[in-house]
Amino acid sequence: MHTLHTHIYPMHIYTCVHREVHTTGLMCTYIYEYIPTCSPCVDLHRLKRMCSPGSYIQHKHTALAQVCAGHKYALGQCPHLVSHTSFPVLGPGRHPFSLYLQGVDRSHSWVNSAYAPGGSKAVLRRVPPYCGADPRQLLHEELALQWVVSGSAVRELVLQHAWFFFQLMVKSMELHLLLGQRLDTPRKLRFPGRFLDDIAALVASVGLEVITRVHKDMKLAERLNASLAFFLSDLLSIADRGYIFSLVRAHYKQVATRLQSAPNPTALLTLRMDFTRILCSHEHYVTLNLPCCPLSPPASPSPSVSSTTSQSSTFSSQAPDPKVTSMFELSGPFRQQHFLSGLLLTELALALDPEAEGASLLHKKAISAVHSLLCSHDVDSRYAEATVKAKVAELYLPLLSLARDTLPQLHGFAEGSGQRSRLASMLDSDTEGEGDIGSTINPSVAMAIAGGPLAPGSRTSISQGPSTAARSGCPLSAESSRTLLVCVLWVLKNAEPTLLQRWAADLALPQLGRLLDLLYLCLAAFEYKGKKAFERINSLTFKKSLDMKARLEEAILGTIGARQEMVRRSRERSPFGNQENVRWRKSATHWRQTSDRVDKTKDEMEHEALVDGNLATEASLVVLDTLETIVQTVMLSEARESILSAVLKVVLYSLGSAQSALFLQHGLATQRALVSKFPELLFEEDTELCADLCLRLLRHCGSRISTIRMHASASLYLLMRQNFEIGHNFARVKMLVTMSLSSLVGTTQNFSEEHLRKSLKTILTYAEEDIGLRDSTFAEQVQDLMFNLHMILTDTVKMKEHQEDPEMLMDLMYRIARGYQGSPDLRLTWLQNMAGKHAELGNHAEAAQCMVHAAALVAEYLALLEDSRHLPVGCVSFQNVSSNVLEESAISDDILSPDEEGFCSGKNFTELGLVGLLEQAAGYFTMGGLYEAVNEVYKNLIPILEAHRDYKKLAAVHGKLQEAFTKIMHQSSGWERVFGTYFRVGFYGTRFGDLDEQEFVYKEPSITKLAEISHRLEEFYTERFGDDVVEIIKDSNPVDKSKLDPQKAYIQITYVEPHFDTYELKDRVTYFDRNYGLRAFLFCTPFTPDGRAHGELAEQHKRKTLLSTEHAFPYIKTRIRVCHREETVLTPVEVAIEDMQKKTRELAFATEQDPPDAKMLQMVLQGSVGPTVNQGPLEVAQVFLSEIPEDPKLFRHHNKLRLCFKDFCKKCEDALRKNKALIGPDQKEYHRELERHYSRLREALQPLLTQRLPQLLAPSSTSLRCPLWRLSHMHIHVFRVWCPHWVMRLHLSWFSIAFDLVEWGMSVSMHVWEITGQIAAISSLPSTKWVPGFELRSAGLVASTLTH
């Protein structure tokens, strides 16, 4: 227990600490310590806070000198302690601390103690030579001794306030050195050996207490750990540093021994990390690490394992220099020479070990410690010079190897998941079969901290371990990854370039690839996001704080149960390990208030954006300098091609990200130097690099900053010139530039067409003024290329005009793609642009069609090159996917020469590219719910994978097929999948330009209502043409343009449905079949003779309009032009026949549905047999069947309507029987009511259905019917032998006509002779193969009907 009192006096401020001390053998003793703040006994922790680190020791010495100058007295005779009147009366010559020393029970000090004379830890007592005959003991010596030999109770109290006694000892030691004038004495002679032995015993004892109490009292262990670290840090300023380092090493070994058996090693590692951080915060940290002393090989050389077991230097003919290797790895020599730095980096390496527990907390602590030190070095004026800072950076060189080998654990800042290890994997493939041991941490290394002795024969490098590729552990957070990468960049920036170059020369090829991956990740991690990103983060943080506030209110008000809150919190991972099962902890809960301000001002956000931009520029420039160092290293090596390709990829990524104008100038200059020195990188093999470079340069040619445009134009012109010098033709660059511009204008929203035209003009000027190529055709070819680019930019202007009109935009892109029919590369580029645009709009079916067309285009090209059995045979192989792909067959040998340079040179015109296009198509089909089409796509993909024996992809493909087929089974009814909705849209008016009097069929998202598309089109064209100009035509009648206002724009929108002929329905069985490959659409317009849309049944007509489109839906665009229109007008009786047939089909569907749906069946029955107000089945029969038509031409419709009613009644009976079997007892009365309604309906229809036409009452000749019977048999026989399927339908229609004529009693002799003539004509045809599956069923039915 302690209380703190402050007394204010005229001259001094005194701090009174009242402590209650329990000792063995004595009663409670109260100690009052009066320490003036101006005295040398002032608390050093307070002094540290008041003073800067650089003047800390100076302040202590100055204070001691001012107070005690000229006096020869021990600490117990300090006038500030004995002269004040407020001291308790203790007797002459006595001091408050002597009371405490008396309070220590010495009666048992040596009893059963290891420190007793002759004990295992006996303290050797010697009289120091400088003490003479003075029998008095110094305070720090006696305090250390008594602490070591104290009993349990006293020890416990001392440990509770260890910081005070440690500081007291340090003050006493400093005062002793000052008063004894021994500040200039060698450090080894400043203190006696017995005292140093006591200090060693004390450090070991306190360290053991820290280890044992970490699981019992974590707070006390943390305080002891920090106090011990500060004590040793203070001793580094006054005692022998080698001795202090030995104490530190002993403490580390002590902790490492317990790590193996500790139940929670994370807590111990955390304490040791804090211990290291405090030690490394010493003001002379750099000097203590001996930075200017070069590393010397040890007596028995022990180079790193990675140097001895891996191949020799990739870029040097000589063996790797062990000195350089030791400087960049946590080797024994490095840790011996740079002790504190070795401690810190070893702790970082252990924290980054994939097998470390509690990794997230350790990551943050270790990386933050390194980052804080580097920040202090950067602002320290003592290290401002570049040469000095280079020596400081040498202390952290192993950090580069650590970060390189931790690459798999770093946060993935790059967009693509495969980009991170792409460079390393590329270089790994070049050294397949060669050993490469990474730099992971061996668990036994914990016993070798800071150059400590290892077990015999076990001295190895700390980089020993499994391969880096096998490292997998807790990934680093984004914040920790960025902090670590900042440290790496600081070392790369300040390290000596020649040293880095020597290190890079000694690296193996895979290690250098991982270093390039690390640089790639640095660019991605510090890419500038812009001010909008900060505003968005600020708004999200503010929203999160509001959410936290709402959740806190829920907890307070009781709207959320305690159990739910406990379950939610238990699922979240605690950063303190599994040993703490706390229910409430302020530092671990979500109710913790953030220290950051949420609502940042605009100035603060602008400042943060400025700092972020400067950091991005600095990081990119450091990466660029490192890349140039690597290039200088590998220039003369044999493996330079692979390394330079990886370097160029990093440069291209830097040019493609958001960069400042300063960096772009240097980056483009580096790119030009690379291309100038190594042109084979772009023009011999890797076309993808050249394409990426063209795209980056064109993007910067459209920059708004003139300096960037100038550099980009120069780079692009140099690229063309070098390609021309190689083969007197730059067809490859010409094609890639054109493709890049097409891709750029198709995917970039804020593209500046004006600035790009200026850059193109600059390039043309370069070509015209190039004296070296004036006599060649280079200038003409450049002029042709510039013309093509200007044409593409003209299309870009049109695309910008229609940016808000997706249909018009896709039409324009389609037109551009069609224009490149003879240039497969450009057509493929525009097809991919269209796919990307469709994907943005959510049109996955259309995006899939674009990829199928692209795959068909590539297949056509591959078929021209070689005939491979596993490849598709051109676009014909994709006909089952879409009938539209046949338009890709326009490419032929007379149009395209496959061997010509520049044509079909992209990465997609390969088997691998075809596989990628097919996979993308299958993915889009899956997202669009068109699972049946996925199967057809994979039918073309599987043979390619089988030929390449790519079983991994085959397994994935078959897994996706299984998922697709499973979804088809679960959604077989079709109601679960709703495909597009179709509308016919007509444009009328000169304001529409080319669209005037054009009709289109629009495909809209599923369940789109007519009002929605009408509102969308009206709103869009109103914004374009102005108010009161656009008018929507509400009806579907034919438009008379002469009656329209020429100053207005008219739009007519009609809902249409897919239409199928009777013969098509037998193949279109499923719901998918009836919604895929649609070319014909039907809409009906009701009208009456007097102009009204609806009227009485007897005068209700219907106009059926059949529209045919140029292509089948789905297509690569969402609207297709109508190419054919056909109209049919139905009479009122025909309208009635259609209505009754529709009702009959609904009844049949509801009755035969499996599984049965009782509700749907009852709804259909109620609408069929229930009493209706108007235009029900009974009214239709009364209108059209009550009277015999006078016109004989209507007899056939009259009779057909009667047959429809008979079929309708039959289906009603079937439906009633099915409903009776489905209903329960509670619906029996409802069913009886339906039966009564049906009985009334049947009774009312009976007289109307039984009456016959007048001609049917006349007697008919039997002699006529018999020949017809024979004729029908003969006719059927001829059908079976000779007639193809389409002729069969023709003659069955003749039998239907004959049937009607017989029933009406009319003479059929003329028709019989016509049928006979048709048979004779058919018999003269050549032999036709009989259509399988045809049965006598239809013909027999006709014959029996004729007989009846």
Side-chain angles (χ1 to χ4, degrees), residues 409-421:
Q409 296 173 244
L410 297 179
H411 181 76
F413 295 99
E415 296 179 356
S417 59
Q419 289 184 1
R420 238 191 42 198
S421 59

Side-chain angles (χ1 to χ4, degrees), residues 953-1178:
K953 279 192 176 182
L954 280 171
V957 165
H958 285 290
K960 293 177 181 178
L961 279 175
Q962 181 186 7
E963 294 178 4
F965 291 147
T966 304
K967 291 179 180 179
I968 292 173
M969 287 191 302
H970 292 163
Q971 302 176 1
S972 57
S973 62
W975 298 104
E976 296 84 356
R977 287 189 291 172
V978 182
F979 297 108
T981 309
Y982 299 93
F983 297 91
R984 171 251 176 196
V985 180
F987 298 93
Y988 303 95
T990 56
R991 287 181 175 269
F992 288 110
D994 297 338
L995 298 181
D996 186 20
E997 296 189 44
Q998 297 292 330
E999 287 183 307
F1000 296 90
V1001 174
Y1002 276 61
K1003 181 191 175 188
E1004 292 292 310
S1006 56
I1007 321 180
T1008 299
K1009 298 181 180 179
L1010 180 63
E1012 295 179 18
I1013 183 176
S1014 177
H1015 176 73
R1016 179 173 69 85
L1017 293 179
E1018 183 179 10
E1019 184 179 13
F1020 171 74
Y1021 285 107
T1022 298
E1023 292 180 0
R1024 183 176 176 184
F1025 299 143
D1027 297 333
D1028 301 330
V1029 176
V1030 180
E1031 186 174 333
I1032 302 296
I1033 301 177
K1034 304 295 184 181
D1035 55 51
S1036 303
N1037 295 322
V1039 177
D1040 187 0
K1041 194 176 179 181
S1042 60
K1043 298 181 180 179
L1044 302 179
D1045 186 353
Q1047 301 300 323
K1048 289 189 175 184
Y1050 295 88
I1051 305 176
Q1052 188 181 42
I1053 306 174
T1054 310
Y1055 170 76
V1056 295
E1057 292 181 341
H1059 173 75
F1060 308 104
D1061 290 333
T1062 306
Y1063 71 91
E1064 288 184 283
L1065 291 175
K1066 71 180 184 64
D1067 295 325
R1068 296 182 179 268
V1069 180
T1070 64
Y1071 180 73
F1072 170 80
D1073 295 332
R1074 290 191 289 270
N1075 285 274
Y1076 194 83
L1078 309 178
R1079 287 180 179 270
F1081 298 88
L1082 180 70
F1083 71 93
C1084 301
T1085 308
F1087 69 96
T1088 57
D1090 58 359
R1092 292 178 297 134
H1094 298 281
E1096 300 297 331
L1097 288 175
E1099 58 183 12
Q1100 184 66 62
H1101 291 70
K1102 183 188 292 186
R1103 182 183 297 106
K1104 299 175 68 174
T1105 305
L1106 184 64
L1107 305 176
S1108 299
T1109 56
E1110 295 176 344
H1111 303 281
F1113 282 102
Y1115 188 45
I1116 60 177
K1117 54 181 184 174
T1118 54
R1119 74 174 181 185
I1120 305 178
R1121 192 183 304 273
V1122 175
C1123 61
H1124 181 68
R1125 180 188 182 101
E1126 181 180 346
E1127 291 185 357
T1128 304
V1129 178
L1130 301 182
T1131 60
V1133 64
E1134 290 175 323
V1135 174
I1137 291 172
E1138 276 200 350
D1139 291 342
M1140 293 308 302
Q1141 288 176 340
K1142 182 178 179 181
K1143 286 184 177 293
T1144 305
R1145 286 194 300 269
E1146 291 176 355
L1147 277 169
F1149 178 78
T1151 305
E1152 298 169 2
Q1153 189 176 5
D1154 186 24
D1157 188 346
K1159 291 184 179 180
M1160 181 178 179
L1161 180 61
Q1162 291 170 6
M1163 280 193 338
V1164 177
L1165 268 174
Q1166 181 67 30
S1168 300
V1169 303
T1172 55
V1173 178
N1174 54 6
Q1175 295 190 355
L1178 181 58

Side-chain angles (χ1 to χ4, degrees), residues 687-741:
T687 310
E688 183 181 355
L689 280 178
C690 190
D692 290 344
L693 178 58
C694 292
L695 182 61
R696 304 292 193 272
L697 294 179
L698 278 174
R699 180 178 285 113
H700 293 305
C701 283
S703 173
R704 302 178 184 275
I705 302 175
S706 59
T707 308
I708 298 177
R709 290 200 307 271
M710 180 182 65
H711 281 271
S713 301
S715 296
L716 188 57
Y717 175 75
L718 180 63
L719 196 65
M720 299 177 188
R721 195 179 194 278
Q722 288 179 322
N723 190 205
F724 181 82
E725 289 176 348
I726 290 177
H728 299 288
N729 185 5
F730 65 103
R732 170 177 292 188
V733 174
K734 186 187 301 184
M735 180 60 64
L736 292 177
V737 168
T738 309
M739 290 171 56
S740 300
L741 183 59

